[in-house]
Amino acid sequence: MEQAGPRDAHRPAAAAPAGRGAPQAGRGADAAARPRPFPAEAVPLPAQPRAADRERGTADDTAGPGGSARAETARGEHTHSEPALPRPRAAAAPQAPGRPVVQRASVRAQILDALRAALVAGELEPGAVYSAPALGESFGVSATPVREAMQQLALEGAVEVVPNRGFRIVERDARELAELTEIRALVEVPVILRLARTVPAARWAELRPLAEATVRAASAGDRTGYAESDRAFHRAVLTLSGNRQLVRIADDLHRRTHWLPAGVSLARSRTDLVADAAEHAALLDALIAENHTAVHSLLRGHFGTATP
C-alpha cells in the first residue's frame, strides 16, 4: 500500500460508497437496532462489526442475510450436509439502557460456554463436522467468534480441525474416561486427604450449598447444571490447598470427564449423577466429623478403584 504524501494529508476524505459506509435508511436503521433472534432457551447477542472486516469490505456481521456464510464459504468452509445444530445456551448479560452491553471480547466467551454446555448435554454429535458459518448463524453472530471458541475446544481435546470443512466432534470411549478419572484421582485424592487433617470443620461446612446444588441438578436430570455445580464443588475443595496451578489443572481434567463417551445413554448417566451427588454430601459429613477413614473410603468410591 502506498503511503500518503504531504499533499494527501490536506485532501478532503472521499465520500463512502452508498450502501457500505452507513446503514440504508429505514431498513438498515431498524436492522442495526434489532439483534438477530436466537432459537429457544438462548439469549440474543448483538452482532458487532469488526474493524478488520470494515477494512476488507466484507463486514460479515452486517452483510445481510447469508452474508456471513457466503464470506466463510469463500474461505473453503462448507456448510452443506451438516447435522442439526445444538440449542445455544449463552448466558444472559445485565441490560444497560441505551446501548448493547455485550462487547466483542465477551461474545467468544459466551459462545465457548454454550458449546461446552452442548458437549455435556450431548447436543453436538460425536464424529460430526460443524462449520463455523453454520454455527454462527445459529448463534446470530459472525463465524469468527465461533471459530475462536472452536479453536479453544481443539486445545482442550474436544474437537479436531478438519481443513476446509470445519470442526469434528471427537468420539470418546469408556477407556479414555477411565484414564481421565484415574489422573484426577492421582491429583485430587492426596490433596483432599491432607486437607482433611488441617482444615477446620467450619470451613468444610461453608461448602454445603455447593454440594446441595449438585444434588438438585442431578435430581432434575440437568447434565449441564450438574457439570457446572460439580466442578464448582471440587474447585472449592481444592482451592483450600492454596495451590492455584493444581486447581487449574484439576479443573481442566474435570471438564473433560463430563463429555459423554460413545454408547452411554443419557438415562443411565442420570442415575450415575444422582449417586455421585449424594457422595458429595456424605464426603462433607465425614470431613466435618474428622472421620478420616470414612473420607478415604468415600474418595475411593467417588473416583473408582484407581484411587490411591
Side-chain angles (χ1 to χ4, degrees), residues 38 45 88-91 106-117 135-136 138-142 145-150 153:
F38 264 44
L45 305 179
R89 298 174 179 266
S106 70
V107 173
R108 173 188 174 275
Q110 293 187 41
I111 298 300
L112 179 59
D113 288 343
L115 290 174
R116 283 173 173 166
L135 285 173
S138 174
F139 284 103
V141 299
S142 74
V146 176
R147 186 181 297 107
E148 292 171 349
M150 279 294 197
L153 290 178

Side-chain angles (χ1 to χ4, degrees), residues 184-220:
R184 282 191 60 205
L186 294 172
V187 172
E188 295 190 39
V189 172
V191 176
I192 298 176
L193 291 176
R194 173 171 57 84
L195 293 174
R197 291 173 169 79
T198 57
V199 175
R203 293 295 303 277
W204 293 120
E206 294 174 357
L207 305 185
R208 182 74 66 184
L210 296 177
E212 293 173 349
T214 65
V215 173
R216 288 193 300 271
S219 300

